[in-house]
Amino acid sequence: MSDKSYLDWPFFDDSHRQLRAELEDWASENTSAHHGDTDSACRDLVARLGKAGWLRYAVGGKDCGGRYDSIDTRAICLLRETLARHSGLADFAFAMQGLGSGALTLHGSPEQKQRYLARVAAGEAIAAFALSEPGSGSDVAAMECTARADGDAYVLDGEKTWISNGGIADFYIVFARTGEAAGSRGLSAFVVDADTPGFEIAERIEVIAPHPLARLRFSGCRVPRASLVGAPGQGFKVAMQTLDIFRTSVAAAALGFARRALDEALSRATRRKMFGQTLADFQITQSKLAQMATGIDAAALLTYRAAWLRDQGRNVTREAAMAKMTATETAQQVIDAAVQIWGGLGVVSGHPVEKLYREIRALRIYEGATEVQQLIIARQTLAAYSQANP
Ligand code: COS
């Protein structure tokens, strides 16, 4: 059983502790074995998460299915951390409902919220977030996908790639260039139903930790003007504000993977006999365990600081970047150490630490690679310095 002492930190209140305890019981029974292919396992997880009420935390607005009127970032992080400890795919299914509908929670019109959010919260509609393109992943402002105003509609043309839930989503939040200004000030966000003519899945993409992923193509894809999410030209900010919430939750998922790895390492180290003692009796193992435990606490402090600050209504771009960078990089090291402690068994396909080794890798890349987080942190640190030293 993982360390729970962090739940006493001042970032949390009783509602968070209760949520975590109830979810722990649910996840133990509902996330273990996935039958069938990844698509159907994901659909099944979304339906079950919805039925159990967990997806209500992924959307904001009590009148459209949300648990609270706005997103409780700490709750989302506890959910992701706990789910990730049990199953990477369960965490993925939960996270994508939030990321894929986050723009609607933050900027959707009342009609859009009524139409989409209640179904997302119930697990009856699957959501996706379509930002990256073949030629622009980190450099969002360079995107080429266009949305041309035409009467009472916009016409979308271009491609998106690395889109999670691509192929199984019922709707996509799509960012495209509307041209109000150059660069980041000329982008807008749209909600596009998966059955809209002119929209197609160009390619399904297989990755080391399987989950639905695709390249999307828009060819003269006509959506009503009412599909615009937020104001025209504000798409970049809509995307960044959504990422400010969900980057922190990526950190929480990494934390869940890392905690599971430490549990697995402790279980092995205390049982495995070698040279007349257990692995845990060797100082060299203790050194590893100490670094793993300390790294996890440091990542947890940054993660829940960012979540708590956002729930106080503060701007957390810098804190979310620090949390994501530290938690994902730390989790990679913790999991690698767990594999080492398990030795040969740690690389056997299907072993828990082997699965973690595959699961963690993408988190250092998606929703802003570690290098992008460094850019964000450095820019903010330099800006603060310049402001203090004019
Ligand atoms: N919230 C609100 N507004 C924000 C913001 C945030 N978190 N971050 C930036 N902005 C605003 C800026 O204030 C600026 O506004 P003005 O035009 O009014 O001055 C505007 O957005 C442009 O910001 P900036 O100049 O920092 O943009 P850059 O093009 O330099 O890009 C990075 C910044 C690299 C940080 C951004 O492109 C990014 O996050 N890239 C990674 C994207 C990503 O995560 N991809 C993965 C896809 S999801 S799996």
Side-chain angles (χ1 to χ4, degrees), residues 99 129 131-132 137-141 184-185 236-237 240-241 243-244 247 315 317 366-368 372 375-376 379:
L99 179 66
F129 180 80
L131 182 67
S132 298
S138 296
D139 185 4
V140 174
S184 64
R185 294 183 178 188
F236 188 90
K237 288 182 184 170
M240 293 303 134
Q241 286 165 3
L243 288 171
D244 278 346
R247 275 180 184 153
N315 180 307
T317 305
Y366 68 56
E367 290 186 46
V372 167
L375 185 80
I376 293 171
R379 278 186 186 179

PDB file of all heavy atoms in Angstrom, residues 99 129 131-132 137-141 184-185 236-237 240-241 243-244 247 315 317 366-368 372 375-376 379, ligand 1:
ATOM      1  N   LEU A  99      -9.370  16.828 -20.463  1.00  0.00           N
ATOM      2  CA  LEU A  99      -8.616  17.645 -21.424  1.00  0.00           C
ATOM      3  C   LEU A  99      -9.484  17.943 -22.647  1.00  0.00           C
ATOM      4  O   LEU A  99      -9.503  19.069 -23.156  1.00  0.00           O
ATOM      5  CB  LEU A  99      -7.333  16.916 -21.844  1.00  0.00           C
ATOM      6  CG  LEU A  99      -6.451  17.634 -22.860  1.00  0.00           C
ATOM      7  CD1 LEU A  99      -5.861  18.915 -22.262  1.00  0.00           C
ATOM      8  CD2 LEU A  99      -5.311  16.732 -23.356  1.00  0.00           C
ATOM      9  N   PHE A 129      -8.840  16.429 -27.680  1.00  0.00           N
ATOM     10  CA  PHE A 129      -8.233  17.763 -27.748  1.00  0.00           C
ATOM     11  C   PHE A 129      -7.273  17.750 -28.930  1.00  0.00           C
ATOM     12  O   PHE A 129      -6.270  17.018 -28.902  1.00  0.00           O
ATOM     13  CB  PHE A 129      -7.494  17.983 -26.430  1.00  0.00           C
ATOM     14  CG  PHE A 129      -6.780  19.293 -26.246  1.00  0.00           C
ATOM     15  CD1 PHE A 129      -7.478  20.437 -25.884  1.00  0.00           C
ATOM     16  CD2 PHE A 129      -5.390  19.369 -26.356  1.00  0.00           C
ATOM     17  CE1 PHE A 129      -6.811  21.636 -25.641  1.00  0.00           C
ATOM     18  CE2 PHE A 129      -4.718  20.560 -26.132  1.00  0.00           C
ATOM     19  CZ  PHE A 129      -5.441  21.701 -25.766  1.00  0.00           C
ATOM     20  N   LEU A 131      -4.764  19.741 -30.966  1.00  0.00           N
ATOM     21  CA  LEU A 131      -3.934  20.944 -31.056  1.00  0.00           C
ATOM     22  C   LEU A 131      -2.723  20.709 -31.975  1.00  0.00           C
ATOM     23  O   LEU A 131      -2.476  21.485 -32.892  1.00  0.00           O
ATOM     24  CB  LEU A 131      -3.463  21.321 -29.640  1.00  0.00           C
ATOM     25  CG  LEU A 131      -2.616  22.569 -29.478  1.00  0.00           C
ATOM     26  CD1 LEU A 131      -3.436  23.823 -29.799  1.00  0.00           C
ATOM     27  CD2 LEU A 131      -2.081  22.693 -28.035  1.00  0.00           C
ATOM     28  N   SER A 132      -1.996  19.612 -31.754  1.00  0.00           N
ATOM     29  CA  SER A 132      -0.743  19.389 -32.488  1.00  0.00           C
ATOM     30  C   SER A 132      -0.983  19.092 -33.960  1.00  0.00           C
ATOM     31  O   SER A 132      -2.004  18.535 -34.338  1.00  0.00           O
ATOM     32  CB  SER A 132       0.017  18.196 -31.892  1.00  0.00           C
ATOM     33  OG  SER A 132       0.365  18.467 -30.569  1.00  0.00           O
ATOM     34  N   GLY A 137       4.208  21.013 -33.127  1.00  0.00           N
ATOM     35  CA  GLY A 137       3.854  20.344 -31.873  1.00  0.00           C
ATOM     36  C   GLY A 137       4.121  21.300 -30.734  1.00  0.00           C
ATOM     37  O   GLY A 137       3.193  21.846 -30.127  1.00  0.00           O
ATOM     38  N   SER A 138       5.399  21.576 -30.484  1.00  0.00           N
ATOM     39  CA  SER A 138       5.757  22.509 -29.408  1.00  0.00           C
ATOM     40  C   SER A 138       5.417  23.945 -29.779  1.00  0.00           C
ATOM     41  O   SER A 138       4.973  24.734 -28.948  1.00  0.00           O
ATOM     42  CB  SER A 138       7.256  22.403 -29.110  1.00  0.00           C
ATOM     43  OG  SER A 138       7.562  21.115 -28.624  1.00  0.00           O
ATOM     44  N   ASP A 139       5.634  24.291 -31.056  1.00  0.00           N
ATOM     45  CA  ASP A 139       5.407  25.672 -31.506  1.00  0.00           C
ATOM     46  C   ASP A 139       3.962  25.819 -31.994  1.00  0.00           C
ATOM     47  O   ASP A 139       3.686  25.822 -33.201  1.00  0.00           O
ATOM     48  CB  ASP A 139       6.415  26.007 -32.620  1.00  0.00           C
ATOM     49  CG  ASP A 139       6.326  27.470 -33.050  1.00  0.00           C
ATOM     50  OD1 ASP A 139       5.541  28.225 -32.441  1.00  0.00           O
ATOM     51  OD2 ASP A 139       7.049  27.839 -33.992  1.00  0.00           O
ATOM     52  N   VAL A 140       3.059  25.980 -31.037  1.00  0.00           N
ATOM     53  CA  VAL A 140       1.625  26.015 -31.344  1.00  0.00           C
ATOM     54  C   VAL A 140       1.279  27.158 -32.314  1.00  0.00           C
ATOM     55  O   VAL A 140       0.446  27.011 -33.208  1.00  0.00           O
ATOM     56  CB  VAL A 140       0.815  26.174 -30.035  1.00  0.00           C
ATOM     57  CG1 VAL A 140      -0.658  26.369 -30.312  1.00  0.00           C
ATOM     58  CG2 VAL A 140       1.035  24.963 -29.137  1.00  0.00           C
ATOM     59  N   ALA A 141       1.956  28.305 -32.123  1.00  0.00           N
ATOM     60  CA  ALA A 141       1.625  29.476 -32.930  1.00  0.00           C
ATOM     61  C   ALA A 141       1.933  29.274 -34.414  1.00  0.00           C
ATOM     62  O   ALA A 141       1.498  30.064 -35.260  1.00  0.00           O
ATOM     63  CB  ALA A 141       2.376  30.700 -32.401  1.00  0.00           C
ATOM     64  N   SER A 184       0.191  33.701 -32.719  1.00  0.00           N
ATOM     65  CA  SER A 184      -0.699  33.139 -31.696  1.00  0.00           C
ATOM     66  C   SER A 184      -2.017  33.905 -31.561  1.00  0.00           C
ATOM     67  O   SER A 184      -2.974  33.377 -31.004  1.00  0.00           O
ATOM     68  CB  SER A 184       0.029  33.115 -30.351  1.00  0.00           C
ATOM     69  OG  SER A 184       0.314  34.429 -29.944  1.00  0.00           O
ATOM     70  N   ARG A 185      -2.060  35.149 -32.069  1.00  0.00           N
ATOM     71  CA  ARG A 185      -3.298  35.930 -31.914  1.00  0.00           C
ATOM     72  C   ARG A 185      -4.307  35.697 -33.029  1.00  0.00           C
ATOM     73  O   ARG A 185      -5.347  36.346 -33.063  1.00  0.00           O
ATOM     74  CB  ARG A 185      -2.973  37.414 -31.819  1.00  0.00           C
ATOM     75  CG  ARG A 185      -2.198  37.735 -30.557  1.00  0.00           C
ATOM     76  CD  ARG A 185      -1.942  39.211 -30.434  1.00  0.00           C
ATOM     77  NE  ARG A 185      -1.240  39.492 -29.186  1.00  0.00           N
ATOM     78  CZ  ARG A 185      -1.018  40.708 -28.725  1.00  0.00           C
ATOM     79  NH1 ARG A 185      -1.438  41.749 -29.404  1.00  0.00           N
ATOM     80  NH2 ARG A 185      -0.366  40.875 -27.596  1.00  0.00           N
ATOM     81  N   PHE A 236      -5.395  30.444 -28.940  1.00  0.00           N
ATOM     82  CA  PHE A 236      -4.124  30.129 -28.279  1.00  0.00           C
ATOM     83  C   PHE A 236      -4.298  30.192 -26.764  1.00  0.00           C
ATOM     84  O   PHE A 236      -3.862  29.300 -26.032  1.00  0.00           O
ATOM     85  CB  PHE A 236      -3.043  31.117 -28.743  1.00  0.00           C
ATOM     86  CG  PHE A 236      -1.649  30.769 -28.271  1.00  0.00           C
ATOM     87  CD1 PHE A 236      -0.829  29.949 -29.029  1.00  0.00           C
ATOM     88  CD2 PHE A 236      -1.171  31.272 -27.069  1.00  0.00           C
ATOM     89  CE1 PHE A 236       0.453  29.629 -28.592  1.00  0.00           C
ATOM     90  CE2 PHE A 236       0.105  30.954 -26.631  1.00  0.00           C
ATOM     91  CZ  PHE A 236       0.921  30.141 -27.388  1.00  0.00           C
ATOM     92  N   LYS A 237      -4.986  31.234 -26.299  1.00  0.00           N
ATOM     93  CA  LYS A 237      -5.168  31.381 -24.845  1.00  0.00           C
ATOM     94  C   LYS A 237      -6.088  30.296 -24.298  1.00  0.00           C
ATOM     95  O   LYS A 237      -5.869  29.779 -23.194  1.00  0.00           O
ATOM     96  CB  LYS A 237      -5.685  32.781 -24.507  1.00  0.00           C
ATOM     97  CG  LYS A 237      -4.586  33.812 -24.709  1.00  0.00           C
ATOM     98  CD  LYS A 237      -4.958  35.214 -24.357  1.00  0.00           C
ATOM     99  CE  LYS A 237      -3.772  36.105 -24.725  1.00  0.00           C
ATOM    100  NZ  LYS A 237      -4.043  37.520 -24.659  1.00  0.00           N
ATOM    101  N   MET A 240      -3.891  27.294 -23.932  1.00  0.00           N
ATOM    102  CA  MET A 240      -2.924  27.409 -22.828  1.00  0.00           C
ATOM    103  C   MET A 240      -3.608  27.324 -21.462  1.00  0.00           C
ATOM    104  O   MET A 240      -3.092  26.725 -20.523  1.00  0.00           O
ATOM    105  CB  MET A 240      -2.128  28.729 -22.928  1.00  0.00           C
ATOM    106  CG  MET A 240      -1.201  28.795 -24.114  1.00  0.00           C
ATOM    107  SD  MET A 240      -0.008  27.441 -24.130  1.00  0.00           S
ATOM    108  CE  MET A 240      -0.109  26.917 -25.820  1.00  0.00           C
ATOM    109  N   GLN A 241      -4.791  27.927 -21.361  1.00  0.00           N
ATOM    110  CA  GLN A 241      -5.507  27.860 -20.069  1.00  0.00           C
ATOM    111  C   GLN A 241      -5.949  26.428 -19.772  1.00  0.00           C
ATOM    112  O   GLN A 241      -5.949  25.988 -18.620  1.00  0.00           O
ATOM    113  CB  GLN A 241      -6.715  28.809 -20.082  1.00  0.00           C
ATOM    114  CG  GLN A 241      -6.289  30.267 -19.978  1.00  0.00           C
ATOM    115  CD  GLN A 241      -7.401  31.235 -20.338  1.00  0.00           C
ATOM    116  OE1 GLN A 241      -8.526  30.826 -20.627  1.00  0.00           O
ATOM    117  NE2 GLN A 241      -7.102  32.521 -20.316  1.00  0.00           N
ATOM    118  N   LEU A 243      -4.348  23.800 -20.833  1.00  0.00           N
ATOM    119  CA  LEU A 243      -3.121  23.076 -20.476  1.00  0.00           C
ATOM    120  C   LEU A 243      -2.644  23.424 -19.065  1.00  0.00           C
ATOM    121  O   LEU A 243      -2.059  22.580 -18.382  1.00  0.00           O
ATOM    122  CB  LEU A 243      -2.025  23.356 -21.507  1.00  0.00           C
ATOM    123  CG  LEU A 243      -2.256  22.684 -22.868  1.00  0.00           C
ATOM    124  CD1 LEU A 243      -1.251  23.183 -23.908  1.00  0.00           C
ATOM    125  CD2 LEU A 243      -2.154  21.156 -22.765  1.00  0.00           C
ATOM    126  N   ASP A 244      -2.908  24.652 -18.615  1.00  0.00           N
ATOM    127  CA  ASP A 244      -2.507  25.014 -17.249  1.00  0.00           C
ATOM    128  C   ASP A 244      -3.150  24.067 -16.227  1.00  0.00           C
ATOM    129  O   ASP A 244      -2.558  23.754 -15.200  1.00  0.00           O
ATOM    130  CB  ASP A 244      -2.918  26.462 -16.916  1.00  0.00           C
ATOM    131  CG  ASP A 244      -1.911  27.481 -17.446  1.00  0.00           C
ATOM    132  OD1 ASP A 244      -0.800  27.074 -17.826  1.00  0.00           O
ATOM    133  OD2 ASP A 244      -2.253  28.682 -17.473  1.00  0.00           O
ATOM    134  N   ARG A 247      -1.798  20.093 -17.438  1.00  0.00           N
ATOM    135  CA  ARG A 247      -0.376  19.793 -17.242  1.00  0.00           C
ATOM    136  C   ARG A 247      -0.124  19.409 -15.781  1.00  0.00           C
ATOM    137  O   ARG A 247       0.668  18.513 -15.497  1.00  0.00           O
ATOM    138  CB  ARG A 247       0.478  21.015 -17.582  1.00  0.00           C
ATOM    139  CG  ARG A 247       0.793  21.093 -19.049  1.00  0.00           C
ATOM    140  CD  ARG A 247       1.638  22.301 -19.390  1.00  0.00           C
ATOM    141  NE  ARG A 247       1.805  22.357 -20.827  1.00  0.00           N
ATOM    142  CZ  ARG A 247       2.008  23.464 -21.512  1.00  0.00           C
ATOM    143  NH1 ARG A 247       2.057  24.630 -20.890  1.00  0.00           N
ATOM    144  NH2 ARG A 247       2.153  23.418 -22.815  1.00  0.00           N
ATOM    145  N   ASN A 315      -2.808  32.438 -11.219  1.00  0.00           N
ATOM    146  CA  ASN A 315      -2.184  31.996 -12.461  1.00  0.00           C
ATOM    147  C   ASN A 315      -1.085  30.979 -12.116  1.00  0.00           C
ATOM    148  O   ASN A 315      -0.246  31.253 -11.256  1.00  0.00           O
ATOM    149  CB  ASN A 315      -1.577  33.213 -13.182  1.00  0.00           C
ATOM    150  CG  ASN A 315      -0.906  32.810 -14.475  1.00  0.00           C
ATOM    151  OD1 ASN A 315      -0.053  31.927 -14.506  1.00  0.00           O
ATOM    152  ND2 ASN A 315      -1.298  33.448 -15.551  1.00  0.00           N
ATOM    153  N   THR A 317       0.838  29.108 -14.576  1.00  0.00           N
ATOM    154  CA  THR A 317       1.600  28.651 -15.738  1.00  0.00           C
ATOM    155  C   THR A 317       2.992  28.146 -15.324  1.00  0.00           C
ATOM    156  O   THR A 317       3.427  27.068 -15.728  1.00  0.00           O
ATOM    157  CB  THR A 317       1.722  29.798 -16.763  1.00  0.00           C
ATOM    158  OG1 THR A 317       0.399  30.240 -17.068  1.00  0.00           O
ATOM    159  CG2 THR A 317       2.405  29.335 -18.035  1.00  0.00           C
ATOM    160  N   TYR A 366       4.161  14.569 -24.080  1.00  0.00           N
ATOM    161  CA  TYR A 366       2.885  15.217 -24.439  1.00  0.00           C
ATOM    162  C   TYR A 366       2.470  16.329 -23.468  1.00  0.00           C
ATOM    163  O   TYR A 366       2.994  16.422 -22.376  1.00  0.00           O
ATOM    164  CB  TYR A 366       1.779  14.190 -24.674  1.00  0.00           C
ATOM    165  CG  TYR A 366       1.258  13.394 -23.503  1.00  0.00           C
ATOM    166  CD1 TYR A 366       0.755  14.018 -22.361  1.00  0.00           C
ATOM    167  CD2 TYR A 366       1.207  12.011 -23.562  1.00  0.00           C
ATOM    168  CE1 TYR A 366       0.228  13.293 -21.318  1.00  0.00           C
ATOM    169  CE2 TYR A 366       0.675  11.265 -22.519  1.00  0.00           C
ATOM    170  CZ  TYR A 366       0.192  11.924 -21.396  1.00  0.00           C
ATOM    171  OH  TYR A 366      -0.331  11.204 -20.371  1.00  0.00           O
ATOM    172  N   GLU A 367       1.558  17.166 -23.945  1.00  0.00           N
ATOM    173  CA  GLU A 367       1.113  18.385 -23.234  1.00  0.00           C
ATOM    174  C   GLU A 367       2.297  19.295 -22.881  1.00  0.00           C
ATOM    175  O   GLU A 367       2.335  19.917 -21.820  1.00  0.00           O
ATOM    176  CB  GLU A 367       0.271  18.033 -22.002  1.00  0.00           C
ATOM    177  CG  GLU A 367      -1.084  17.476 -22.422  1.00  0.00           C
ATOM    178  CD  GLU A 367      -2.027  17.228 -21.281  1.00  0.00           C
ATOM    179  OE1 GLU A 367      -2.140  18.112 -20.417  1.00  0.00           O
ATOM    180  OE2 GLU A 367      -2.653  16.163 -21.271  1.00  0.00           O
ATOM    181  N   GLY A 368       3.255  19.340 -23.789  1.00  0.00           N
ATOM    182  CA  GLY A 368       4.430  20.185 -23.601  1.00  0.00           C
ATOM    183  C   GLY A 368       5.590  19.350 -23.090  1.00  0.00           C
ATOM    184  O   GLY A 368       5.602  18.958 -21.919  1.00  0.00           O
ATOM    185  N   VAL A 372       9.900  22.221 -23.350  1.00  0.00           N
ATOM    186  CA  VAL A 372       8.955  23.342 -23.412  1.00  0.00           C
ATOM    187  C   VAL A 372       8.679  23.865 -21.997  1.00  0.00           C
ATOM    188  O   VAL A 372       8.608  25.079 -21.767  1.00  0.00           O
ATOM    189  CB  VAL A 372       7.626  22.925 -24.106  1.00  0.00           C
ATOM    190  CG1 VAL A 372       6.538  23.966 -23.889  1.00  0.00           C
ATOM    191  CG2 VAL A 372       7.857  22.705 -25.595  1.00  0.00           C
ATOM    192  N   LEU A 375      11.436  26.038 -21.064  1.00  0.00           N
ATOM    193  CA  LEU A 375      11.309  27.345 -21.725  1.00  0.00           C
ATOM    194  C   LEU A 375      10.340  28.241 -20.945  1.00  0.00           C
ATOM    195  O   LEU A 375      10.621  29.419 -20.678  1.00  0.00           O
ATOM    196  CB  LEU A 375      10.772  27.086 -23.133  1.00  0.00           C
ATOM    197  CG  LEU A 375      10.650  28.227 -24.102  1.00  0.00           C
ATOM    198  CD1 LEU A 375      12.015  28.519 -24.701  1.00  0.00           C
ATOM    199  CD2 LEU A 375       9.686  27.865 -25.239  1.00  0.00           C
ATOM    200  N   ILE A 376       9.207  27.672 -20.574  1.00  0.00           N
ATOM    201  CA  ILE A 376       8.185  28.442 -19.850  1.00  0.00           C
ATOM    202  C   ILE A 376       8.741  28.928 -18.506  1.00  0.00           C
ATOM    203  O   ILE A 376       8.621  30.104 -18.147  1.00  0.00           O
ATOM    204  CB  ILE A 376       6.915  27.581 -19.621  1.00  0.00           C
ATOM    205  CG1 ILE A 376       6.228  27.264 -20.957  1.00  0.00           C
ATOM    206  CG2 ILE A 376       5.950  28.269 -18.664  1.00  0.00           C
ATOM    207  CD1 ILE A 376       5.098  26.236 -20.874  1.00  0.00           C
ATOM    208  N   ARG A 379      11.457  31.633 -19.032  1.00  0.00           N
ATOM    209  CA  ARG A 379      10.890  32.930 -19.455  1.00  0.00           C
ATOM    210  C   ARG A 379      10.267  33.658 -18.264  1.00  0.00           C
ATOM    211  O   ARG A 379      10.440  34.856 -18.095  1.00  0.00           O
ATOM    212  CB  ARG A 379       9.790  32.696 -20.488  1.00  0.00           C
ATOM    213  CG  ARG A 379      10.294  32.498 -21.892  1.00  0.00           C
ATOM    214  CD  ARG A 379       9.077  32.434 -22.783  1.00  0.00           C
ATOM    215  NE  ARG A 379       9.419  32.098 -24.145  1.00  0.00           N
ATOM    216  CZ  ARG A 379       8.512  31.973 -25.109  1.00  0.00           C
ATOM    217  NH1 ARG A 379       7.234  32.153 -24.837  1.00  0.00           N
ATOM    218  NH2 ARG A 379       8.874  31.667 -26.329  1.00  0.00           N
TER     219      ARG A 379
HETATM  220  N1  COS B   1      -2.638  31.386 -20.171  1.00  0.00           N
HETATM  221  C1  COS B   1      -3.133  32.469 -20.823  1.00  0.00           C
HETATM  222  N2  COS B   1      -2.472  33.123 -21.797  1.00  0.00           N
HETATM  223  C2  COS B   1      -1.248  32.667 -22.122  1.00  0.00           C
HETATM  224  C3  COS B   1      -0.661  31.541 -21.500  1.00  0.00           C
HETATM  225  C4  COS B   1      -1.408  30.911 -20.473  1.00  0.00           C
HETATM  226  N3  COS B   1      -0.927  29.843 -19.823  1.00  0.00           N
HETATM  227  N4  COS B   1       0.543  31.316 -22.045  1.00  0.00           N
HETATM  228  C5  COS B   1       0.734  32.268 -22.974  1.00  0.00           C
HETATM  229  N5  COS B   1      -0.353  33.074 -23.024  1.00  0.00           N
HETATM  230  C6  COS B   1      -0.537  34.250 -23.873  1.00  0.00           C
HETATM  231  C7  COS B   1       0.614  35.233 -23.724  1.00  0.00           C
HETATM  232  O1  COS B   1       0.365  36.104 -22.655  1.00  0.00           O
HETATM  233  C8  COS B   1       0.597  35.921 -25.038  1.00  0.00           C
HETATM  234  O2  COS B   1      -0.481  36.871 -25.040  1.00  0.00           O
HETATM  235  P1  COS B   1      -0.432  38.246 -25.897  1.00  0.00           P
HETATM  236  O3  COS B   1      -0.434  37.835 -27.344  1.00  0.00           O
HETATM  237  O4  COS B   1      -1.669  38.958 -25.497  1.00  0.00           O
HETATM  238  O5  COS B   1       0.834  38.942 -25.490  1.00  0.00           O
HETATM  239  C9  COS B   1       0.209  34.839 -26.031  1.00  0.00           C
HETATM  240  O6  COS B   1      -0.497  33.858 -25.249  1.00  0.00           O
HETATM  241  C10 COS B   1       1.404  34.203 -26.703  1.00  0.00           C
HETATM  242  O7  COS B   1       2.271  33.685 -25.693  1.00  0.00           O
HETATM  243  P2  COS B   1       3.812  33.392 -25.989  1.00  0.00           P
HETATM  244  O8  COS B   1       4.442  34.578 -26.624  1.00  0.00           O
HETATM  245  O9  COS B   1       4.420  32.859 -24.744  1.00  0.00           O
HETATM  246  O10 COS B   1       3.683  32.223 -27.095  1.00  0.00           O
HETATM  247  P3  COS B   1       4.775  31.369 -27.852  1.00  0.00           P
HETATM  248  O11 COS B   1       4.349  31.197 -29.255  1.00  0.00           O
HETATM  249  O12 COS B   1       6.144  31.902 -27.594  1.00  0.00           O
HETATM  250  O13 COS B   1       4.636  29.890 -27.216  1.00  0.00           O
HETATM  251  C11 COS B   1       4.818  28.071 -25.660  1.00  0.00           C
HETATM  252  C12 COS B   1       4.710  29.577 -25.915  1.00  0.00           C
HETATM  253  C13 COS B   1       6.062  27.423 -26.243  1.00  0.00           C
HETATM  254  C14 COS B   1       4.874  27.984 -24.149  1.00  0.00           C
HETATM  255  C15 COS B   1       3.543  27.355 -26.200  1.00  0.00           C
HETATM  256  O14 COS B   1       3.520  27.331 -27.589  1.00  0.00           O
HETATM  257  C16 COS B   1       3.404  25.920 -25.681  1.00  0.00           C
HETATM  258  O15 COS B   1       2.932  25.705 -24.556  1.00  0.00           O
HETATM  259  N6  COS B   1       3.816  24.929 -26.493  1.00  0.00           N
HETATM  260  C17 COS B   1       3.632  23.526 -26.163  1.00  0.00           C
HETATM  261  C18 COS B   1       2.304  23.090 -26.640  1.00  0.00           C
HETATM  262  C19 COS B   1       1.917  21.766 -26.174  1.00  0.00           C
HETATM  263  O16 COS B   1       1.761  21.540 -24.987  1.00  0.00           O
HETATM  264  N7  COS B   1       1.726  20.863 -27.134  1.00  0.00           N
HETATM  265  C20 COS B   1       1.240  19.584 -26.867  1.00  0.00           C
HETATM  266  C21 COS B   1      -0.164  19.484 -27.370  1.00  0.00           C
HETATM  267  S1  COS B   1      -1.302  18.853 -26.252  1.00  0.00           S
HETATM  268  S2  COS B   1      -0.883  16.943 -26.184  1.00  0.00           S
END
